[in-house]
Amino acid sequence: MKTRITELFGIQHPILQGGMHYVGFAEMAAAVSNAGGLGIITGLTQKSPADLANEIARCKDMTDKPFGVNLTFLPVVNQPDYPGMVKAIIEGGVKVVETAGNNPQSVLPYLKDAGIKVIHKCTSVRHSLKAQAIGCDAVSVDGFECGGHPGEDDVPNFILLPRAADELEIPFVASGGMADGRSLVAALSLGADGMNMGTRFIATKEAPVHDNVKQALVAASELDTRLVMRPLRNTERVLTNKAVERLLEKERTLGSAIKFEDIAPEVAGVYPRILQDGEMDAGAWSCGMVAGLIHDIPSCQELIDRIMAEAEAIIRQRLAGMLD
Ligand SMILES: Cc1cc2nc3c(=O)[nH]c(=O)nc-3n(C[C@H](O)[C@H](O)[C@H](O)COP(=O)(O)O)c2cc1C
């Protein structure tokens, strides 16, 4: 399949793997890229620019296909060394950067000068237009269904994607709730040039996470996510568990007086305990409603091949058949 996204990134299939904290290691990115999609290393999971440079080098040892690095701009006091990370990305010869969180304007000139394509992930049409205006090459439009941070507008993809298509000139991928060939065809129909998946890629053989995490995704339904940190205007969609229920109880009790410190035990530093050690009740971790569509743990190659075959069958048989 050829779309503006496959052309822009030089990839075989219009399928991206979004940056994921403590999931987007070299193994994950290389597996997706080797399967014809675009794998993405999560920059901030690496503790320093030197570690990121090492992770990029490891990924290059595992694939000769294009892959990207995610740079998430966080609303935190102690800012990570973004200039150092950008340097590691440029010197590592990375071809694509996925930015997310705040406006990526401060790093954009350096990335563009190095010939790197930038796709900014955003949850609204206005932020997508801003990304286009500042010179991003593409956007990843992340609907309310998504795992991670859906923003505060709560617009699901059935509305958000056609709205983005009406306004944008640069290509975009649909993100949030994407799992299979049906998702891809729907995304293309709504105006996207591909799709970005997060949660679905965690339940794959190569995802470098504890097996408990993969089994939890297979067991979960579309009813099992919760929105946390809404009172802090830092909403995150997570898989429910004991820690999440405790966190939500604090939000109910403390109301608008709640501060980050109140919920730090449930959210700060919990990712390695959950994703690497498999302590499934250790805290809140991002997960999309798409968990309800995840029933197995294929390899990335099997998953992407299946998506492409299903998408083609839907277009050539189901949809074309309706016109006969
Ligand atoms: C466990 C997990 C961690 C994530 N961490 C990040 C992150 O660090 N930076 C980022 O931009 N997006 C992050 N995301 C969001 C994904 O890149 C992607 O936008 C989202 O998962 C899409 O929705 P889906 O899960 O329904 O496919 C994360 C998602 C998950 C599930």
Side-chain angles (χ1 to χ4, degrees):
M1 188 181 284
K2 192 166 141 184
T3 74
R4 290 194 292 168
I5 285 293
T6 58
E7 297 289 286
L8 180 66
F9 297 141
I11 52 178
Q12 193 184 353
H13 306 301
I15 300 175
L16 278 51
Q17 167 250 315
M20 289 181 280
H21 198 35
Y22 277 93
V23 181
F25 293 99
E27 288 78 6
M28 180 86 263
V32 174
S33 288
N34 281 331
L38 185 79
I40 293 184
I41 292 172
T42 314
L44 294 194
T45 302
Q46 301 304 320
K47 300 215 163 19
S48 66
D51 287 346
L52 178 57
N54 186 46
E55 201 65 11
I56 291 168
R58 286 207 313 120
C59 197
K60 278 188 150 173
D61 284 343
M62 288 185 255
T63 185
D64 52 13
K65 304 268 177 63
F67 62 89
V69 172
N70 168 287
L71 276 183
T72 302
F73 296 96
L74 296 169
V76 293
V77 187
N78 295 324
Q79 287 287 313
D81 180 2
Y82 289 113
M85 299 234 162
V86 168
K87 194 161 172 272
I89 288 167
I90 294 171
E91 288 176 359
V94 172
K95 301 278 181 291
V96 181
V97 165
E98 177 198 49
T99 53
N102 290 342
N103 184 323
Q105 201 151 16
S106 62
V107 298
L108 213 53
Y110 304 102
L111 298 174
K112 302 298 300 177
D113 278 356
I116 294 171
K117 304 286 181 216
V118 178
I119 178 165
H120 185 58
K121 187 160 56 194
C122 31
T123 57
S124 70
V125 175
R126 65 186 184 285
H127 293 148
S128 304
L129 286 171
K130 182 74 192 177
Q132 174 174 278
I134 64 173
C136 292
D137 299 284
V139 279
S140 189
V141 176
D142 215 16
F144 184 50
E145 308 87 332
C146 73
H149 294 270
E152 311 301 326
D153 290 348
D154 302 356
V155 183
N157 268 336
F158 245 88
I159 308 299
L160 190 59
L161 299 174
R163 280 284 298 117
D166 284 346
E167 304 256 355
L168 284 171
E169 279 158 28
I170 55 173
F172 69 96
V173 295
S175 179
M178 305 288 136
D180 52 32
R182 296 171 300 183
S183 320
L184 179 56
V185 177
L188 299 174
S189 304
L190 294 171
D193 274 282
M195 69 177 181
N196 178 57
M197 301 196 297
T199 306
R200 173 66 265 199
F201 274 124
I202 303 176
T204 57
K205 288 202 175 81
E206 296 93 339
V209 302
H210 197 285
D211 195 50
N212 289 355
V213 177
K214 302 181 189 186
Q215 298 302 338
L217 288 177
V218 171
S221 87
E222 64 278 17
L223 303 177
D224 293 330
T225 71
R226 300 287 181 271
L227 295 174
V228 298
M229 294 193 282
R230 181 128 268 194
L232 299 171
R233 290 191 64 79
N234 186 26
T235 301
E236 182 180 0
R237 186 180 295 286
V238 299
L239 189 67
T240 189
N241 60 27
K242 287 199 185 99
V244 168
E245 293 311 321
R246 203 163 59 234
L247 192 170
L248 288 171
E249 184 54 33
K250 289 182 190 178
E251 291 186 355
R252 278 190 288 271
T253 317
L254 295 168
S256 57
I258 198 162
K259 294 196 211 50
F260 181 79
E261 299 79 73
D262 298 316
I263 58 164
E266 283 79 28
V267 297
V270 297
Y271 267 62
R273 287 176 60 197
I274 300 160
L275 291 154
Q276 294 183 324
D277 305 338
E279 277 185 63
M280 297 313 294
D281 284 318
W285 65 285
S286 294
C287 173
M289 286 178 148
V290 74
L293 298 176
I294 297 175
H295 310 300
D296 61 356
I297 304 170
S299 69
C300 288
Q301 187 77 60
E302 285 162 349
L303 177 63
I304 289 182
D305 286 351
R306 185 167 80 195
I307 291 171
M308 294 314 298
E310 192 186 0
E312 189 171 336
I314 293 171
I315 297 167
R316 287 195 199 279
Q317 291 156 32
R318 185 172 149 75
L319 298 184
M322 288 173 179
L323 298 174
D324 288 343

